[in-house]
Every structure is written in structure tokens, then in C-alpha cells.
Amino acid sequence: MRLTLSSEGVRNTVMTNENGQVLYKTSTPYRFGTRTTALYKVVPNADPDDMRDHLETIGEIEWHLMSSSVMRLHGREMMTDTFIPSHGFTRRKRTFTGPDGLSYRWDMDFRIVRVRTYPKKSYDFPALTGLVWVLDAQLSRDDASRQELARSHRRSLGIIGPKKDPSLDVDPSLMHMLDMVVLTFIYVEKLRMDKEKRAKHSNGGGGGP
């Protein structure tokens, strides 16, 4: 399954499937202090006289800077420092246990992207201006197989190749826990975006929480 995002800002976005049907929506109202991202899921309307689907709140992430953030999903509360802890020197790996009892891991992988600038009147001779670190989020089984099960894709403006919206590809074997995949993706993607901003500001130096 491919979930297409209306915005790369995962805390305020709409996720649709291949048919353009809305499946999830996130909303993070602006406020001073602690901010909370609500995760909504489209559910069928039980009213036979009203065929419109409606949004139901299924989870949220309460973001904290100086302490553990808090995830909630279907009434279950999880502290991020214990439910989805970081590992490794660079802290780009985060593991969690799914509702099926299996262990999964999100990895934020670095890749290098060339940034080019173009003349105002012609696109025939782009000038290379530098290299930028970019992170992609990848979900796999946290075992010897390291089977890839989900991967995020950045927005493509179509300068090289076709134009594409940001998306998340999810393996069919995870449909039983898609809600948790989406919630944990929102969490790691927000961290990935923060890391990328810091890397750009430090000229590709990297680092992160």
C-alpha cells in the first residue's frame, strides 16, 4: 500500500491511498508550551441514511523537549523513551514491539543529495552549488532478516524525473497494525525532519537527539 501525504509536515497532513481515498489525517494546533498531534482515521458511517465516512480520533503524540514524549493509540499510553527507544551512536535507529509481539525498527538513513542552482533564463547548464545530507525513514523487522516493510519517499519537484508527492510505502503484511505503523512513522519522521534541519544548518554535519 502507498499512502500519499498532502504535506511533508507530518504533524499536519492528510494521507490517501492509491485510489485517492482519505485514510488518515493529522492535526497539531499551534500553542505555547507542549504541542499535541492528533491522529484521525476515516471510518465507515454506521448510519444507512448517511453514506459519508467520518474521522475518528484513534491516537495522539504529546511532544516534549526535555522529557519523554507520550504516544497514545486506541486508549493505550506509551512513553517514547521506553516504547520506541533510540539505539546506536548516532541514535538513528528506533525499535518497538508491535501488537503481534514481533520487534520492528525504524532507521533514518543518510544519503547525499546534490543541490543545483539554475540560471534565470536557461535550464541548460545547471551549476552545482553543494551537497546536502538527506534522511529517509525505513521500517524493517528487528531480526537477522532485516526485511524491509515500509519506506518513506520525499517530495520530488520533477526537475529530474517525474513529479511526486511525499509518500509512505507499507508492505501488505502490516495491514493488521497499520495504525501503529502510521503513528510511529509520524514520530520518527518528525525527528528525521529535525535532524535534517540541523544538518543543513551545520553544512551537513549531522547529529541529532
Side-chain angles (χ1 to χ4, degrees):
M1 170 185 282
R2 168 162 290 187
L3 295 175
T4 300
L5 283 64
S6 62
S7 168
E8 285 190 329
V10 290
R11 296 197 295 178
N12 291 285
T13 193
V14 176
M15 302 182 185
T16 57
N17 63 12
E18 294 92 335
N19 299 320
Q21 179 184 5
V22 176
L23 297 186
Y24 296 95
K25 177 183 177 181
T26 61
S27 177
T28 310
Y30 180 80
R31 56 170 295 182
F32 291 105
T34 302
R35 300 183 67 183
T36 299
T37 298
L39 174 62
Y40 303 93
K41 184 177 183 179
V42 172
V43 296
N45 199 325
D47 185 352
D49 297 324
D50 186 352
M51 300 301 293
R52 294 174 300 176
D53 294 338
H54 67 278
L55 292 169
E56 180 179 280
T57 305
I58 62 169
E60 62 181 18
I61 302 175
E62 189 177 291
W63 303 94
H64 296 278
L65 293 176
M66 305 305 295
S67 60
S68 175
S69 294
V70 183
M71 286 183 172
R72 299 181 181 93
L73 184 64
H74 299 303
R76 177 188 175 189
E77 183 171 289
M78 301 157 286
M79 307 300 290
T80 58
D81 61 347
T82 55
F83 173 69
I84 187 167
S86 61
H87 302 274
F89 177 75
T90 59
R91 305 178 71 181
R92 295 200 302 266
K93 168 187 172 183
R94 288 184 176 266
T95 60
F96 68 95
T97 301
D100 51 10
L102 298 178
S103 182
Y104 298 89
R105 59 184 282 176
W106 279 105
D107 287 274
M108 291 173 280
D109 296 328
F110 270 121
R111 59 188 176 91
I112 299 177
V113 175
R114 292 185 177 183
V115 178
R116 297 175 183 268
T117 181
Y118 295 86
K120 293 182 179 180
K121 296 183 179 180
S122 173
Y123 290 87
D124 294 335
F125 303 100
L128 178 63
T129 60
L131 301 176
V132 175
W133 289 106
V134 174
L135 284 156
D136 291 320
Q138 172 190 344
L139 178 68
S140 61
R141 296 199 188 279
D142 189 29
D143 57 21
S145 72
R146 288 297 312 280
Q147 178 186 357
E148 182 175 319
L149 298 171
R151 178 179 286 273
S152 66
H153 301 279
R154 309 295 301 278
R155 184 189 301 278
S156 172
L157 299 178
I159 297 175
I160 300 177
K163 183 178 180 180
K164 296 180 180 178
D165 290 324
S167 61
L168 175 68
D169 288 335
V170 183
D171 190 84
S173 66
L174 294 184
M175 292 303 101
H176 69 287
M177 53 178 282
L178 185 59
D179 294 348
M180 181 168 287
V181 171
V182 170
L183 187 70
T184 55
F185 166 68
I186 294 167
Y187 179 69
V188 299
E189 178 68 2
K190 168 62 168 58
L191 300 183
R192 183 202 64 75
M193 292 172 65
D194 291 345
K195 285 177 179 287
E196 186 173 304
K197 288 179 182 177
R198 286 194 293 271
K200 288 180 179 179
H201 291 161
S202 61
N203 296 320

